[in-house]
Amino acid sequence: MVRSVRKYVIMGVQGSGKGTQAAMLARDFSLTQIGVGEIFRWHVQVHTKIGADVRRIMARGELVGDALVEKVVRERLDQHDWNYGFIIDGFPRNRRQAEFFLESYDIDGVIHLDLPDDEVRRRVLARRLCSQCGMDYNLIAHRPEVEGKCDVCGGELVTREDDTEEALAARVRDYHEKTDPVLDLFRRKEYVITVDARPDKNTVQRAIRKQLGLQPEAGTQ
Ligand code: AMP
């Protein structure tokens, strides 16, 4: 069977479930999941030069400079480990990044997860992350079996350095100021599907697949 290459962007305010939804799509459609924030967190964790440059910016909830973001994204996509396509989250975050992206890659769809700001705060402040394998937890919707420990690897669960009230406020403000215009740009090109991100993760996933017209391929269910 010939499979098409699918290239998706997933967008949504902090805590809207981008990483979770992207992982579910990646699993069933053999897509490579690329999380730009995750790439930067990895650099911070293993103390690379890039990590040293971005650590404080990230902790304050501010955006990393466009040139560095573009370099990281280009290098990641240049690995070409995405035979069946990719789904990228956390990028593009502003108009310049969107223009860079559209010049270099054609996109098949932009998934916009829509979540009201009051729900963002409730979700993000309950978020925990495994310090070893990076698995995401949420003390409201996805509690670990043993408190403070990762179900997958037993690693210690920690709060992201930028999941504080102050950093969250900066990130949500940036999202509306800089990322909302990106959605408008993509909308003009008719790529965007908007999905209500408030229901549970399986309901949200079904809505995404329905709107994109995606059916799991034989043998992947
Ligand atoms: P995220 O995991 O998507 O919330 O990203 C965490 C942090 O990484 C952000 O608050 C930024 O500091 C940085 N970051 C991730 N993606 C981008 C991007 N496209 N442009 C600028 N900064 C980014």
Side-chain angles (χ1 to χ4, degrees), residues 14 18 35-38 40-41 54 57-66 69 73 89-94 97 127 160 162-163 171:
Q14 288 70 24
K18 296 185 294 277
V36 176
E38 255 162 59
F40 284 130
R41 274 191 289 284
V54 301
I57 298 173
M58 287 180 72
R60 285 197 297 263
E62 292 165 8
L63 291 180
V64 172
D66 290 332
V69 173
V73 169
D89 93 57
F91 179 88
R93 288 272 238 275
N94 60 29
Q97 293 179 9
R127 182 152 74 176
R160 270 173 54 165
D162 56 354
D163 280 350
R171 286 152 69 209

Side-chain angles (χ1 to χ4, degrees), residues 1-6 29-30 83-85 215-218:
M1 182 171 51
V2 179
R3 292 210 225 181
S4 49
V5 179
R6 300 179 171 115
F29 298 96
S30 310
N83 292 350
Y84 300 122
Q215 304 282 341
E217 275 149 20

Side-chain angles (χ1 to χ4, degrees), residues 192-205:
V192 182
I193 60 148
T194 294
V195 173
D196 181 359
R198 287 171 303 177
D200 68 273
K201 64 180 183 183
N202 293 320
T203 308
V204 174
Q205 181 70 193

Side-chain angles (χ1 to χ4, degrees), residues 28-85:
D28 283 355
F29 298 96
S30 310
L31 305 176
T32 297
Q33 184 184 354
I34 300 172
V36 176
E38 255 162 59
I39 296 176
F40 284 130
R41 274 191 289 284
W42 177 85
H43 280 285
V44 170
Q45 206 173 2
V46 304
H47 302 284
T48 65
K49 162 88 173 54
I50 289 181
D53 290 344
V54 301
R55 182 181 180 151
R56 254 166 294 158
I57 298 173
M58 287 180 72
R60 285 197 297 263
E62 292 165 8
L63 291 180
V64 172
D66 290 332
L68 181 56
V69 173
E70 287 167 16
K71 178 172 175 286
V72 162
V73 169
R74 193 192 303 274
E75 283 176 2
R76 180 64 192 82
L77 289 171
D78 280 353
Q79 289 178 19
H80 283 288
D81 58 341
W82 41 276
N83 292 350
Y84 300 122

